[in-house]
Amino acid sequence: DIVLTQSPATLSLSPGERATLSCRASQSVSSYLAWYQQKPGQAPRLLIYDASNRATGIPARFSGSGSGTDFTLTISSLEPEDFAVYYCQQRSNWPPRVTFGQGTRLEIK
Amino acid sequence: EVQLLESGGGLVQPGGSLRLSCVASGFTFSNYALSWVRQAPGKGLEWVSTISGSGGSTNYADSVKGRFTISRDNSKNTLYLQVNSLRAEDTAVYYCAKDLIAAANYYYFYMDVWGKGTTVTVSS
């Protein structure tokens, strides 16, 4: 099974700074990778799919890049509401499977 | 507005069973694959199962295969998860989630709408 490893586990930044979150797959997932944001007590929210496509209503400060095994979620200028946990997720159609990374906690410095 | 609302969680003894439900509104239910994703207390997200829009195809995580059964009733806009032989490690919030893209017999496995979750606690 494909394993997704996110780094760092925790990222401490200030509002206005740029955030760069990493997700590495144990084998190639092509571009079949998504990013989710989850705030305490809330369900996850889809940010990015197919590595670089923003979901509906997601602000332009969120961008995704990468293919194969190395992926990045970038938040260009952090807003107070961006401090949350972020998960990457890969999808495969054979065998049909979904795998999540362990998450990166983005906290206010 | 597209919405998903889960119910059916609760406290159950090890070895027990529950049926979780997820009622959908605001979209053409039968056009979308639906998934269950769970989150143990203080832990990350774990995919559990997905069913195609038609209901003709299902998939499970290895950790629940043979114990959990996903199903749907497209006439009632409702998704189900029958959870049997429950273990302590099944304790979690269970979310239902809708596929991003409409496809009656295919999964995209990107989940753009999520419910608020229902909590399952397995304890004696």
Side-chain angles (χ1 to χ4, degrees):
Chain A
D1 284 3
I2 296 173
V3 175
L4 298 178
T5 302
Q6 293 187 239
S7 61
T10 302
L11 184 59
S12 299
L13 294 170
S14 301
E17 291 193 290
R18 181 184 187 89
T20 303
L21 288 68
S22 175
C23 178
R24 176 163 289 178
S26 58
Q27 62 189 82
S28 177
V29 298
S30 186
S31 294
Y32 298 139
L33 191 105
W35 291 93
Y36 297 84
Q37 176 193 69
Q38 187 179 33
K39 298 179 181 178
Q42 296 185 17
R45 174 192 182 197
L46 178 66
L47 301 174
I48 301 286
Y49 65 96
D50 282 345
S52 60
N53 295 309
R54 269 190 305 276
T56 301
I58 301 305
R61 64 180 182 273
F62 291 91
S63 63
S65 63
S67 65
T69 60
D70 290 304
F71 300 87
T72 301
L73 174 70
T74 302
I75 311 171
S76 59
S77 179
L78 285 165
E79 297 288 341
E81 61 268 27
D82 297 337
F83 292 92
V85 178
Y86 291 82
Y87 295 95
C88 58
Q89 174 233 316
Q90 69 87 22
R91 69 175 188 95
S92 61
N93 283 96
W94 192 257
R97 285 289 184 275
V98 171
T99 306
F100 289 93
Q102 83 279 15
T104 289
R105 181 177 305 277
L106 177 58
E107 63 177 27
I108 299 177
K109 188 173 182 180
Chain B
E1 182 186 4
V2 177
Q3 285 190 321
L4 298 170
L5 182 62
E6 304 94 336
S7 62
L11 174 63
V12 60
Q13 292 188 338
S17 298
L18 285 172
R19 188 174 83 156
L20 309 183
S21 299
C22 173
V23 177
S25 60
F27 64 98
T28 304
F29 187 74
S30 59
N31 284 357
Y32 291 86
L34 294 167
S35 298
W36 289 97
V37 176
R38 67 184 181 182
Q39 187 167 36
K43 302 298 184 183
L45 302 171
E46 180 187 15
W47 171 73
V48 172
S49 183
T50 299
I51 186 168
S52 63
S54 66
S57 179
T58 59
N59 291 280
Y60 299 91
D62 289 344
S63 58
V64 307
K65 199 175 295 184
R67 299 188 299 123
F68 290 11
T69 302
I70 192 171
S71 62
R72 64 192 295 162
D73 185 337
N74 286 348
S75 69
K76 295 182 179 179
N77 283 9
T78 303
L79 172 72
Y80 302 101
L81 186 68
Q82 179 68 41
V83 296
N84 298 332
S85 303
L86 282 163
R87 307 165 180 166
E89 55 265 35
D90 296 318
T91 295
V93 175
Y94 285 73
Y95 295 101
C96 67
K98 166 190 160 292
D99 242 28
L100 172 66
I101 298 171
N105 294 298
Y106 188 72
Y107 320 100
Y108 280 90
F109 284 137
Y110 296 136
M111 292 157 273
D112 69 331
V113 179
W114 296 63
K116 295 185 186 301
T118 188
T119 300
V120 173
T121 303
V122 184
S123 175
S124 56

